[in-house]
Amino acid sequence: DAEAHFAILETPTTKLKELIAHVERLVQPGEDRTKVALTWEQVLACATFAKMVTIAWEEERQQIPYDKRTCQQMILLGQGGTGKTMIVTEIFIPLVNWAFPPTAEGERYLVVAFSHAQADAISTEHIKARTLHSACAIRVQSMANSKMAPSAKKDMLINTWSNKVLLINEEVSMTPAEAVSYTHLRAHET
């Protein structure tokens, strides 16, 4: 089948172009959305993200062990209402789902936020964010060093983190530094 033959030519960059075209498509009659035209800065953020996904995608295809893979970080900055969440939910996560389809262990990405309200704000029908505390198996009241070891929660942490290639921390600027640090600790423990 011709479509299957051409699928091997797809890369994260070609998929990104497809996703941007879908986001910027014309509004059809009866469709509940407004016309979107990405700004230059948004397109640049998408291109940067696609480059990062390409590196991870190539390392996945080469079966490089997780602990040897390139660790990349990106922060989307902008005032409220500038489209950061839309880019994450409409472009970044679909691109990751294309490059790294869900496995038996679940989605290959994890969306976290410091509070339940922030997690609810980014969650959609298909994307379910969690609080940092639940994803990291910590209690807000027990951030003492003596209670940081995963102990009995190790299996839950492995189930949560083991197959992830993307962590999205919604509203990271509103997250205490200790919680961000703890998230990185948990991600590297599993």
Side-chain angles (χ1 to χ4, degrees):
D1 151 87
E3 189 172 316
H5 290 348
F6 285 112
I8 64 168
L9 300 175
E10 272 197 309
T11 66
T13 302
T14 57
K15 188 62 178 178
L16 171 67
K17 291 175 186 175
E18 209 178 282
L19 291 166
I20 288 174
H22 177 74
V23 166
E24 292 188 322
R25 73 191 184 280
L26 294 174
V27 178
Q28 300 300 314
E31 196 174 11
D32 185 25
R33 69 179 195 88
T34 57
K35 173 77 172 105
V36 173
L38 297 181
T39 66
W40 181 84
E41 290 86 0
Q42 290 171 322
V43 172
L44 181 60
C46 291
T48 301
F49 185 75
K51 183 178 179 183
M52 296 166 74
V53 170
T54 299
I55 292 167
W57 185 63
E58 289 171 353
E59 290 178 347
E60 177 100 351
R61 292 174 76 181
Q62 294 168 16
Q63 299 180 338
I64 294 174
Y66 284 114
D67 63 337
K68 304 287 187 226
R69 293 186 186 186
T70 306
C71 181
Q72 304 173 83
Q73 298 181 30
M74 178 179 190
I75 297 178
L76 285 180
L77 299 173
Q79 299 205 6
T82 58
K84 298 178 301 294
T85 299
M86 183 269 303
I87 287 174
V88 168
T89 59
E90 300 293 323
I91 298 174
F92 287 10
I93 290 176
L95 183 59
V96 168
N97 274 338
W98 171 84
F100 307 97
T103 65
E105 292 83 31
E107 299 290 351
R108 301 293 304 277
Y109 65 88
L110 182 61
V111 180
V112 297
F114 187 66
S115 73
H116 287 287
Q118 292 165 343
D120 291 345
I122 196 170
S123 292
T124 68
E125 181 181 340
H126 304 288
I127 301 164
K128 300 299 177 210
R130 300 173 63 175
T131 64
L132 281 170
H133 302 92
S134 86
C136 294
I138 57 171
R139 296 181 48 112
V140 179
Q141 301 86 356
S142 62
M143 299 260 309
N145 283 344
S146 63
K147 298 182 181 181
M148 294 295 189
S151 307
K153 298 175 184 171
K154 184 78 171 178
D155 288 342
M156 189 282 294
L157 288 167
I158 289 170
N159 288 337
T160 300
W161 292 90
S162 66
N163 74 332
K164 302 305 184 255
V165 294
L166 173 67
L167 170 66
I168 296 170
N169 189 343
E170 173 72 352
E171 299 288 355
V172 70
S173 65
M174 301 171 85
T175 305
E178 303 84 24
V180 173
S181 177
Y182 201 68
T183 304
H184 286 275
L185 173 70
R186 284 297 201 224
H188 292 287
E189 283 178 336
T190 54

